């Protein structure tokens, strides 16, 4: 089965409208259908992904060490960090919610960062992951990106709802700002990463300019939804 | 609207693929990396219009009516999403406040409004040029709309508040859940490809196929 990439034919896919436009390597042109800027690969994908990733890793340090929020009951309360909140929930025997917070606010950010590093290293140096596994990993990272905002939303709602004067009140901590920034930075990092780079390393067959594009190149599979 | 056969490249692995006509409720996937290339849903424009109208009507109530009320020893207080954002600003967390404002309020609102404007024009048969700009805006705003995460955030907050005080669920929560259902349904049933086809379809020729790319202007 001949594998032909759009890049081999100097065709670039428009991210917005999915039309194919003629484009040379390292060139940025306008999509013929919708005018969006189009290039064969996301420009400077690897550099920018690393930049966002390193910034996100740096932001995770204050996010986990500074408190997310302080719950004051009758004027007393301890500021709690992410892990502190999880431990408290475990002590209260609320295991499902402790698991949710632990996964969404602790495991997911680290998972995303390590996954993106694995993908970048796959593109730059090659490693033992197959292209299929890398693509699946990329899709998981894209999907999980937004779910780490959970903790930020919890803090937002808590400070809105719990306003009972000195009886009960909540103060947001700086940790939540650092955490939110870290989530956004990982989202930007995965957005900048071009998944096609993973497959570029595969051996692709050469094409000649005489190939016509009106022949079906691959048989499609129909999948019932 | 049945999708015509056309040439495309896989977004995830750049494979050049000829996509055949996809029947309703089927989708087309890349043979190499299984990325979903196209999903065919019937009546995307009509459904998008109906869902976006419903979403826009519910939206202010979801954000401005109380979601949860707590009461303890006779004192009670209720909170809304917008109040939470304003409190973040008041406490000096203006970056966080803006982030939550964008991801939980503005982005969903803009997304639903854009779907409404686009589908209403398409439904009326008009295709003015600014629809292209609106489609670009829709594409950009979609990834920042995080209503499902807010729903989870509400659930987690409810559990955390359980032992501080007695909870009462507000009408805003019902409106929020309905808005969320509208937004999620729009994302599932209305994909951008179908809207692009409706916008750029040639008026007379219903059988256009885009197979000869040597003539594409660069």
């Amino acid at each position: 089965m001949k594998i032909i990439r759009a890049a081999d034919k100097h065709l670039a896919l428009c991210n917005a409208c999915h039309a194919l436009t003629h484009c040379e390597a390292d060139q940025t042109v306008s999509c013929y259908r919708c005018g969006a800027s189009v290039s064969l690969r996301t420009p400077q994908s690897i550099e920018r992904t690393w930049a966002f990733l390193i910034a996100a890793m740096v932001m995770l340090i204050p996010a986990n060490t500074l408190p997310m929020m302080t719950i004051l009951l009758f004027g007393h309360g301890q500021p709690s960090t992410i892990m502190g909140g999880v431990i408290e929930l475990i002590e209260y025997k609320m295991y499902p919610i402790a698991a949710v917070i632990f996964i969404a606010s602790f495991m997911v950010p680290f998972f995303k960062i390590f996954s993106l590093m694995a993908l970048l290293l796959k593109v730059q140096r090659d490693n033992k992951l197959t292209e299929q596994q890398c693509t699946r990993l990329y899709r998981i990272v894209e999907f999980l990106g937004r779910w780490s905002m959970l903790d930020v939303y919890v803090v937002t709602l808590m400070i809105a709802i719990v306003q009972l004067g000195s009886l009960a009140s909540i103060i947001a901590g700086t940790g939540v700002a650092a955490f939110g920034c870290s989530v956004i930075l990982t989202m930007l990092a995965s957005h900048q990463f071009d998944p096609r780079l993973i497959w570029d390393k595969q051996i692709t067959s050469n094409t000649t300019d005489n190939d016509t594009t009106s022949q079906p190149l691959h048989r499609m599979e129909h999948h019932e939804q | 609207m049945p999708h015509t056969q056309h040439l495309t490249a896989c977004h995830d692995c750049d494979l050049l693929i000829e996509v055949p006509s996809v029947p309703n409720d089927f989708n087309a996937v890349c043979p190499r990396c299984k990325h979903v290339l196209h999903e065919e849903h019937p009546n995307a424009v009509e459904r998008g219009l109906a869902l976006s109208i419903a979403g826009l009507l519910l939206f202010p109530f979801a954000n401005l009516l109380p979601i949860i009320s707590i009461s303890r020893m006779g004192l009670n207080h209720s909170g809304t999403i917008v109040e939470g954002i304003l409190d973040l600003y008041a406490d000096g967390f203006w970056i966080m406040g803006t982030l939550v404002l964008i991801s939980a309020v503005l982005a969903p609102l803009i997304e639903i409004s854009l779907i409404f404007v686009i589908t209403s024009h398409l439904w009326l048969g008009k295709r003015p040029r600014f629809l292209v700009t609106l489609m670009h805006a829709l594409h950009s705003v979609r990834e920042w709309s995080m209503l499902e995460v807010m729903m989870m955030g509400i659930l987690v907050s409810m559990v955390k508040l359980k032992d501080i005080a007695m909870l009462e669920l507000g009408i805003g929560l019902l409106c929020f859940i309905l808005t969320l259902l509208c937004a999620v349904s729009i994302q599932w049933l209305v994909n951008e490809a179908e809207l692009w086809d409706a916008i750029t379809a040639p008026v007379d020729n219903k059988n256009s196929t885009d197979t000869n790319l040597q003539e594409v202007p660069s």
Side-chain angles (χ1 to χ4, degrees), chain B residues 101-189:
Chain B
L101 181 68
I102 291 176
S103 59
V105 179
L106 288 184
L109 179 63
I110 294 174
E111 183 188 351
I112 299 180
S113 312
L114 286 173
I115 295 271
F116 170 69
V117 173
I118 295 170
T119 52
S120 56
H121 278 91
L122 289 174
W123 189 64
L124 292 172
K126 301 186 186 167
R127 294 186 295 176
R129 307 207 82 197
F130 63 78
L131 284 188
V132 175
T133 320
L134 294 184
M135 284 295 292
H136 284 144
L138 180 67
H139 181 74
S140 309
V141 96
R142 263 203 163 158
E143 56 183 297
W144 294 105
S145 167
M146 300 185 207
L147 278 185
E148 333 73 81
V149 186
M150 176 57 93
M151 180 77 243
M152 198 64 175
I154 293 175
L155 291 174
V156 172
S157 305
M158 274 166 40
V159 174
K160 278 195 155 183
L161 289 170
K162 240 177 30 167
D163 44 54
I164 299 182
M166 293 220 334
L167 294 182
E168 209 178 273
L169 303 179
I171 189 83
L173 181 58
L174 176 67
C175 296
F176 180 81
I177 294 175
L178 293 173
T179 311
L180 175 67
L181 288 174
C182 287
V184 169
S185 303
I186 288 177
Q187 287 194 340
W188 274 357
L189 299 173

Side-chain angles (χ1 to χ4, degrees), chain A residues 50-65 110 113 178-179 181-182 185-186:
Chain A
W50 270 118
F52 282 126
L53 202 56
I54 292 173
M57 287 196 280
V58 165
M59 283 309 243
L60 267 193
I61 300 173
N64 278 299
T65 52
F110 281 106
I113 287 178
F179 186 75
C181 288
S182 168
L185 287 167
T186 50

Side-chain angles (χ1 to χ4, degrees), chain A residues 32 41 139 146 153 163 225, chain B residues 12 14 39 87 103 210:
Chain A
Y32 82 92
R41 295 285 179 269
R139 287 181 197 146
R146 55 193 45 213
Y153 289 151
Q163 289 178 15
Q225 281 177 322
Chain B
D12 282 2
D14 207 30
E39 293 179 68
D87 286 338
S103 59
D210 207 0

Side-chain angles (χ1 to χ4, degrees), chain A residues 134-150:
Chain A
C134 283
T135 309
R136 210 170 293 156
L137 196 61
Y138 170 74
R139 287 181 197 146
I140 294 175
V141 171
E142 283 271 279
F143 172 74
L144 283 181
R146 55 193 45 213
W147 286 94
S148 295
M149 283 294 279
L150 183 65

